[in-house]
Amino acid sequence: MGLTRASLGVQNLSPQVQRAVNRRESFAEIEAGVGWLREAGVRSVNLDLMYGLPHQTVENTLSTLDAVLTLRPERIALFGYAHVPWMKSHQQLIHEAALPGPAERLDQADAAAERLMTAGYVRIGLDHFAVPDDELALALTQGRLHRNFQGYTTDQARTLLGLGASAIGALPQGFVQNVAQELGWRAAIAAGELPIARGVAVTADDRFRGEIIERLMCDLEVDLAAVCARHGRDPADLAAARSRLAPFAADGLVRLLGPKVEVSEAGRAVVRSVCAVFDAYFQPDGGRHSKAL
């Protein structure tokens, strides 16, 4: 059928962690799945791992990595668990006392990144890793890396169609999301209707700020003057946002070099917070977001 890339969600192999999130799977099952994909000719396999899960530690994070690295996946995504029970009611079943704190989460992320880079993987942006000859790693070195709501990508298409329940689609005019519940999605399909639950139109200002955020997330740096020129904007429009970077600069997390903003290696873990400075919609006290660390 032409399938060339596949992704499997592993998260963590600790039985205690798996019980806490009701996601039980053995390494043997993952190994078999990867093997079947290879046999079918899938040339690129990604494995999703996580940090910050209940009962997760540096030790079981590294033991998980040691196991999956024997499968030599071309890519690994290392996501931080977002505990947002006010948005996802099933997360109310997770005991918050079992969740690692910010310092523990950072230790897990740092230890995993070090292990992956020692194993020869290239670190890509905030949370992705790839073998050096992978298309994602090559795109990073060539300055053509992109990021969308699914993660880092080399895809430059401006249209992405989401087909299943809850899937998000991206169009030049904005974003659409399908009905999240499968029964409602099926009912719309059966009636010959588009199963769209909601949409958000994007403005010229959204595209302008979106490019700044994407470059920071992909390259860990952005030339604000160049982006302003491409969008016909006055650099003075970003004066307030740029001033909010002063605390990051004081802590050595970013460097402000004329019109350029560079995120330091120490600031990589908080690049989302750096990007939020340029997000016109971000409300830090709104209580709707997951924690940065």
Side-chain angles (χ1 to χ4, degrees), residues 82-114:
H83 191 63
V84 287
W86 56 89
M87 292 179 62
K88 299 182 178 181
S89 58
H90 63 274
Q91 290 187 349
Q92 295 174 15
L93 298 173
I94 293 178
H95 298 294
E96 294 196 15
L99 294 173
E104 296 169 294
R105 286 171 61 96
L106 187 57
D107 286 344
Q108 292 168 20
D110 286 346
E114 183 179 353

Side-chain angles (χ1 to χ4, degrees), residues 209 212-213 216 224 237-248 254 261 270-282 284:
R209 294 175 180 274
I212 294 171
I213 291 170
L216 283 170
L224 298 178
D237 294 344
L238 296 174
R242 199 175 184 283
S243 68
R244 291 195 290 271
L245 291 174
F248 294 94
V254 302
V261 178
V270 295
V271 66
R272 279 196 179 97
S273 297
V274 175
C275 291
V277 165
F278 297 97
D279 184 350
Y281 301 101
F282 180 64

Side-chain angles (χ1 to χ4, degrees), residues 4 42 48 98 106 118 153 162 182 184 191 214 231 246 267-268:
T4 59
V42 175
D48 285 349
L106 187 57
T118 299
T153 178
E182 185 183 349
E214 184 178 35
H231 290 262
R268 186 190 291 264

